[in-house]
């Protein structure tokens, strides 16, 4: 989920730079953050730093907080997005571990053992869970305790090229888009070396997982993996068939990551792609006014999408958790979240800040995102989510090529995930 998000390793070539030269941005926190033991650690954050966009986003948070409080300070560093999830547990038990860390709602369950419950700190600060997007808060809550406060709430969307639709004589999608019409459009947009859709090997922020959600499925329920339930299977098989049977997309390779499919959409060789709103700014640079945003098509036309997002938490190993929360809470105010949404394009987790994100965006694009926020479902996972994601990327090309069914692949994933 991925921010978006910056949250992704979408520019792997820059990951090494992030590792060699971690960014430390000064900005500081009203004296309380420096009080008590571990003062330096309370103003340090461990996060993913894969790309220049990641750096720009974290800096935007610091700058916005500093604008409100000139004494605010925060430094941060970390590995690439993919490496973050394999390293964060080890990093957080080190004696010099930063007190603040980032997590996705989808990963909160997975790393819950290193995250401090925030309920009491929120109560003391007068912060309500209801201040934030309900789906995101559901994802950030594990065993009844809030483990992180979200800064964005990003429903996966269908990006499309308006110029391609116009050239093919097609009407642009609205906030009610059926899978039947979608397939017709994708076929009309396929030909002469171009495809109607670009797909990736990944699970979410991609056709496979998102159609599984759009068809009414969920990845888990009551702590149990539910990817073998029929609605989830049907939606994923629909995505696989877009390549294997309909021929409206090219099958991905397991090692492709996001680059080839996103590149195809940006250069016009694919007319549509399923991705997260965090890619809006990147796609807009390539497509300009031709960038369209639609809801995910569903069998009934009633939109349904998963809402992904990330937030800030506190490590259980932090020597001064109260001081760390005094820093954290300044990152998730409506003013700061709204400022970052305006500058970086992240869909804000606070409803009052939506207008800042929507500024200067086409009405139809904004309407699609708002419709999905209203009809979204949280991405609540289990502690085996990373394993499921990794294995799916390995096996999904077989599904797209038609050599394995969705039921077969998902059955294997469910067994290995436990």
């Amino acid at each position: 989920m991925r921010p978006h998000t910056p949250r992704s390793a979408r520019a792997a070539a820059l990951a090494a730079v992030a590792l060699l030269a971690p960014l430390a941005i000064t900005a500081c926190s009203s004296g309380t953050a420096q009080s008590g033991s571990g003062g330096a650690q309370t103003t340090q954050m461990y996060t993913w730093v894969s790309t220049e966009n990641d750096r720009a986003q974290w800096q935007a948070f610091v700058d916005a907080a500093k604008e409100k409080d000139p004494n605010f300070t925060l430094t941060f560093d970390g590995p690439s997005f993919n490496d973050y999830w394999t390293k964060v547990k080890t990093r957080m038990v080190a004696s010099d571990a930063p007190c603040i860390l980032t997590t996705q709602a989808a990963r909160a369950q997975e790393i819950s053992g290193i995250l401090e419950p925030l309920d009491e700190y929120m109560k003391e600060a007068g912060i309500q869970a209801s201040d934030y997007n309900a789906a995101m808060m559901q994802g950030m809550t594990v065993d009844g305790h809030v483990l992180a406060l979200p800064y964005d709430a990003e429903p996966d969307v269908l990006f499309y090229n308006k110029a391609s639709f116009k050239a093919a004589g097609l009407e642009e999608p609205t906030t009610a888009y059926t899978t039947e019409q979608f397939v017709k459009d994708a076929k009309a947009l396929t030909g002469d070396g171009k495809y109607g859709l670009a797909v990736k090997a990944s699970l979410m922020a991609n056709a496979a997982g998102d159609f599984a959600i759009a068809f009414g499925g969920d990845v888990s329920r009551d702590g149990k993996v539910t990817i073998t339930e029929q609605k989830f299977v049907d939606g994923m098989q629909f995505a696989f068939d877009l390549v294997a049977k309909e021929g409206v997309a090219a099958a991905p390779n397991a090692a492709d990551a996001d680059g080839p499919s996103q590149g195809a959409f940006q250069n016009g060789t694919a007319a549509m792609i399923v991705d997260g709103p965090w890619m809006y700014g990147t796609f807009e640079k390539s497509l300009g006014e031709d960038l369209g945003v639609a809801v995910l098509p569903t069998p009934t036309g009633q939109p349904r999408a998963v809402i992904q997002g990330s937030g800030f938490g506190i490590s259980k190993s932090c020597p001064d958790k109260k001081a760390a929360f005094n820093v954290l809470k300044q990152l998730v105010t409506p003013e700061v979240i709204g400022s970052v949404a305006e500058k970086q394009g992240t869909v804000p987790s606070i409803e009052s800040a939506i207008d800042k994100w929507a500024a200067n965006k086409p009405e139809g694009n904004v309407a699609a995102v708002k419709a999905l926020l209203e009809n979204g479902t949280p991405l609540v996972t289990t502690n085996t989510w990373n394993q499921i994601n990794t294995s799916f990327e390995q096996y999904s090309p077989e599904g797209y090529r038609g050599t394995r069914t969705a039921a077969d692949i998902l059955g294997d994933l469910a067994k290995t995930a436990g």
Side-chain angles (χ1 to χ4, degrees):
M1 255 165 284
R2 24 189 7 337
H4 23 128
T5 181
R7 23 192 209 236
S8 65
R10 289 177 174 86
L14 290 170
V17 178
L19 289 168
L20 292 172
L23 183 63
I25 295 179
T26 14
C28 152
S29 184
S30 27
T32 54
Q34 302 289 352
S35 65
S37 60
Q41 290 164 267
T42 64
T43 57
Q44 295 172 359
M45 181 171 73
Y46 189 67
T47 186
W48 47 83
V49 188
S50 294
T51 67
E52 293 296 342
N53 190 49
D54 289 349
R55 293 192 186 95
Q57 171 165 278
W58 304 134
Q59 182 168 359
F61 275 104
V62 175
D63 290 347
K66 185 175 176 64
E67 185 173 339
K68 188 173 182 181
D69 176 5
N71 292 319
F72 181 85
T73 196
L74 181 67
T75 63
F76 63 84
D77 64 19
S80 69
F81 178 79
N82 285 346
D83 286 344
Y84 180 82
W85 305 107
T86 62
K87 294 180 177 180
V88 63
K89 292 181 182 179
T90 301
R91 182 69 183 101
M92 286 301 107
V93 296
S95 60
D96 64 342
C99 280
I100 299 173
L101 67 157
T102 50
T103 184
Q104 292 181 311
R107 310 277 188 153
Q109 175 74 43
E110 185 179 338
I111 65 170
S112 60
I114 61 172
L115 288 167
E116 172 76 3
L118 302 181
D119 309 82
E120 291 303 316
Y121 305 103
M122 291 169 61
K123 183 178 180 180
E124 185 176 338
I127 297 174
Q128 305 289 327
S130 58
D131 295 340
Y132 302 90
N133 177 270
M136 281 300 300
M137 288 308 299
Q138 187 175 339
M140 294 294 195
T141 301
V142 178
D143 295 332
H145 295 291
V146 176
L147 299 185
L149 290 177
Y151 58 78
D152 66 343
E154 316 251 19
D156 288 355
V157 302
L158 178 72
F159 288 103
Y160 67 96
N161 188 320
K162 293 183 178 182
S164 296
F165 270 71
K166 183 177 181 180
L170 301 174
E171 293 185 6
E172 294 181 22
T174 66
T175 53
Y177 197 27
T178 65
T179 48
E180 180 181 8
Q181 185 61 50
F182 167 75
V183 172
K184 289 180 180 178
D185 290 343
K187 286 182 175 180
L189 292 161
T190 299
D192 297 325
K194 297 182 179 181
Y195 287 103
L197 181 71
V199 297
K200 318 170 198 173
S202 55
L203 181 55
M204 303 309 303
N206 182 35
D210 282 298
F211 277 116
I213 298 294
F215 273 55
D218 290 293
V219 300
S220 73
R221 189 180 309 107
D222 299 326
K224 302 293 183 181
V225 173
T226 56
I227 58 177
T228 58
E229 292 185 355
Q230 197 59 52
K231 289 181 179 179
F232 197 93
V233 173
D234 288 347
M236 183 167 290
Q237 189 62 55
F238 172 81
F240 286 164
D241 288 346
L242 292 172
V243 177
K245 293 184 178 181
E246 305 294 351
V248 299
N253 296 310
D256 280 349
D258 292 354
S261 60
Q262 291 174 342
F265 178 67
Q266 289 174 272
N267 65 31
T269 56
M272 295 181 282
I273 188 172
V274 176
D275 217 315
W278 53 87
M279 291 302 298
Y280 193 105
T282 299
F283 291 157
E284 188 178 37
K285 288 178 182 177
S286 299
L287 276 67
E289 294 181 354
D290 287 330
L291 179 63
V293 179
V295 299
L296 269 297
T298 64
T300 64
Q302 173 66 28
R304 186 177 195 257
V306 68
I307 294 180
Q308 300 199 66
S310 303
F312 304 103
I314 296 174
S315 170
K316 282 186 175 179
S317 64
C318 176
D320 192 341
K321 298 177 180 65
K322 183 175 181 179
F325 188 79
N326 285 338
V327 177
L328 183 155
K329 70 182 183 181
Q330 295 181 74
L331 299 172
V332 291
T333 64
E335 296 83 3
V336 169
I337 287 176
S339 174
V340 176
E342 185 175 18
K343 293 177 181 177
Q344 295 300 117
T346 51
V347 181
S349 59
I350 296 177
E351 186 175 359
S352 63
I354 289 288
D355 287 345
K356 288 193 174 182
W357 169 82
N360 302 316
K361 290 182 175 63
E363 183 178 341
N365 293 357
V366 172
V369 171
K370 286 186 174 181
L372 291 174
L373 283 173
E374 294 170 1
N375 295 275
T377 183
L379 187 60
V380 178
T381 66
T382 69
N383 56 12
T384 57
W385 185 238
N386 192 53
Q387 180 183 348
I388 290 173
N389 270 300
T390 302
S391 297
F392 182 81
E393 290 183 11
Q394 179 183 350
Y395 300 135
S396 66
E398 299 175 67
Y400 285 115
R401 292 186 176 93
T403 58
R404 294 184 70 184
T405 65
D408 184 26
I409 292 174
L410 293 170
D412 281 353
L413 293 182
K415 289 177 184 176
T416 58

